[in-house]
Amino acid sequence: MALRLFSSLLFAGFCLGFPSTYLSNSTNICPQLEVALGNASIISPTEINYPSLSTENWSATAWKRPSCIARPSCTADLQRLVRHLTRKNVPFAIRSGGHSPSPFAANIDNGVLIDMSSFNQTQYHPHRKVATVGAGGKWLGVYNELDRYNVTVVGGRVVDVGVGGLILGCGLSYLSDLYGLTCDNVVNFEMVLADGSLTNANANHNQDLFKAMKGGANNFGIVTTFTLKTYAINQVWGGIKFYSLNQLPALFAAMQEYQSKPKKDLYANLMLQAFTTNASVGAVLNMVYLKPVVNASAFAPFYSIPTTGDTTKIQSLTQMMSGQQVPPLPR
């Protein structure tokens, strides 16, 4: 197993430079991929949707010009794609949601970009209290499906973030104080290895790989599906409090008091951001208490600070996270 895992360093995806042979291979491979996978799955630079797909990444720092974009529609297609790329030594990158601003984290120049957006299904398994989640989905789709069953998972705090990148990078969540990082809640990785084979990694099978995947990014394979633990959390108190920038000293003092309590309330979580280049937005405090309890005492240090706006209320956790705002700032 170890030899197969490391049979190709291309899975690292952070492709900073390649010999001329690799660059030539990346150009020549695209017509071959069209034959192997079908024209609909391979987007070339001459196609009308190429510009939007190559710049779909959240940050302009990650906009690149791949030789072509591969969009496998099923696991079998992904396996064929990986076999072609690794046999020809073609550099590639893998994109789930494309939220990382790192220049080569989820895009590539002169190589093949694998767009995983077709792997976006979520299915809840109540008898096992787990959900299977496609690696190419985004968290809003996951949460909306699980809301039907009044459960959720330890997932992203920003609903437009991709599932794959957050989990493979460990993943912070509003539920992390209670249940750990997102990767701690994975019970199985279904993934394609560098030789194109499909395998599973869990506590009983491929245990070394299972451990490595928890923070291992995309260095060991391409995940198709994660199986995640679920938790019976739906209705919460939370939302956003807005402040002028001149309240930052008071907010920092309140944050210190909130964080310094000897016994933190694990149901309370928050995220403070100050948009110093956009004074019209000011400072934004995302707050959530993971029970339907109004004005929990855990947030007492913040209640006396004057706000310019307040959306906090009893609502679903998904509604609370969907209400978070990303102001128009250069990125």
Side-chain angles (χ1 to χ4, degrees):
M1 174 60 70
L3 290 177
R4 284 202 296 162
L5 292 181
F6 294 100
S7 62
S8 173
L9 294 178
L10 296 176
F11 277 106
F14 305 105
C15 309
L16 301 180
F18 296 93
S20 59
T21 303
Y22 282 5
L23 301 182
S24 174
N25 288 348
S26 67
T27 302
N28 296 333
I29 195 67
C30 294
Q32 299 175 37
L33 294 177
E34 290 182 2
V35 174
L37 301 179
N39 291 344
S41 298
I42 305 299
I43 311 301
S44 69
T46 59
E47 296 187 48
I48 191 170
N49 55 343
Y50 175 90
S52 61
L53 288 173
S54 61
T55 58
E56 192 174 278
N57 299 61
W58 177 77
S59 174
T61 57
W63 294 355
K64 301 298 172 185
R65 189 168 178 80
S67 302
C68 57
I69 302 169
R71 308 185 79 186
S73 60
C74 63
T75 301
D77 279 353
L78 179 61
Q79 290 179 268
R80 283 193 290 271
L81 173 62
V82 169
R83 289 190 188 106
H84 276 79
L85 295 175
T86 55
R87 287 172 184 169
K88 300 287 186 178
N89 287 329
V90 176
F92 60 88
I94 308 157
R95 182 172 69 197
S96 171
H99 195 264
S100 173
S102 180
F104 291 97
N107 211 338
I108 190 171
D109 286 324
N110 300 312
V112 175
L113 171 60
I114 302 176
D115 183 332
M116 294 290 290
S117 58
S118 294
F119 292 77
N120 61 1
Q121 297 80 16
T122 297
Q123 186 175 5
Y124 178 52
H125 306 277
H127 58 292
R128 292 191 290 144
K129 296 184 179 179
V130 298
T132 52
V133 179
K138 294 187 177 182
W139 288 106
L140 180 59
V142 176
Y143 296 144
N144 281 338
E145 176 62 21
L146 296 180
D147 276 350
R148 298 171 54 203
Y149 307 96
N150 291 319
V151 298
T152 193
V153 291
V154 180
R157 297 173 295 180
V158 178
V159 295
D160 198 42
V161 168
V163 166
L166 183 107
I167 296 178
L168 295 176
C170 293
L172 280 173
S173 168
Y174 285 127
L175 280 66
S176 287
D177 282 354
L178 287 169
Y179 305 117
L181 298 171
T182 305
C183 67
D184 295 324
N185 290 271
V186 179
V187 297
N188 187 72
F189 299 89
E190 181 190 88
M191 56 192 297
V192 175
L193 302 180
D195 62 358
S197 62
L198 183 69
T199 194
N200 287 276
N202 52 56
N204 300 312
H205 183 67
N206 292 326
Q207 295 97 326
D208 55 345
L209 178 58
F210 182 56
K211 183 177 181 179
M213 291 301 294
K214 298 193 173 192
N218 54 8
N219 290 293
F220 301 99
I222 303 179
V223 177
T224 58
T225 303
F226 302 92
T227 303
L228 302 171
K229 298 175 186 177
T230 62
Y231 301 97
I233 293 176
N234 184 271
Q235 292 296 297
V236 303
W237 176 88
I240 307 171
K241 289 181 181 287
F242 298 89
Y243 304 87
S244 60
L245 289 176
N246 62 10
Q247 295 293 348
L248 279 177
L251 287 168
F252 290 147
M255 179 66 81
Q256 182 182 22
E257 182 179 348
Y258 166 82
Q259 295 281 33
S260 300
K261 290 184 179 179
K263 189 174 181 180
K264 183 183 182 298
D265 188 334
L266 302 183
Y267 288 87
N269 215 309
L270 52 75
M271 181 166 53
L272 176 62
Q273 302 170 85
F275 298 97
T276 55
T277 60
N278 191 337
S280 64
V281 177
V284 175
L285 183 66
N286 298 297
M287 315 175 74
V288 62
Y289 195 76
L290 297 170
K291 294 179 180 180
V293 175
V294 177
N295 293 334
S297 60
F299 298 126
F302 297 95
Y303 292 149
S304 63
I305 304 174
T307 63
T308 58
D310 189 339
T311 68
T312 56
K313 60 183 179 180
I314 301 291
Q315 56 187 318
S316 74
L317 180 58
T318 302
Q319 289 171 325
M320 176 266 162
M321 291 187 289
S322 298
Q324 296 176 153
Q325 301 174 8
V326 178
L329 298 169
R331 49 179 191 266

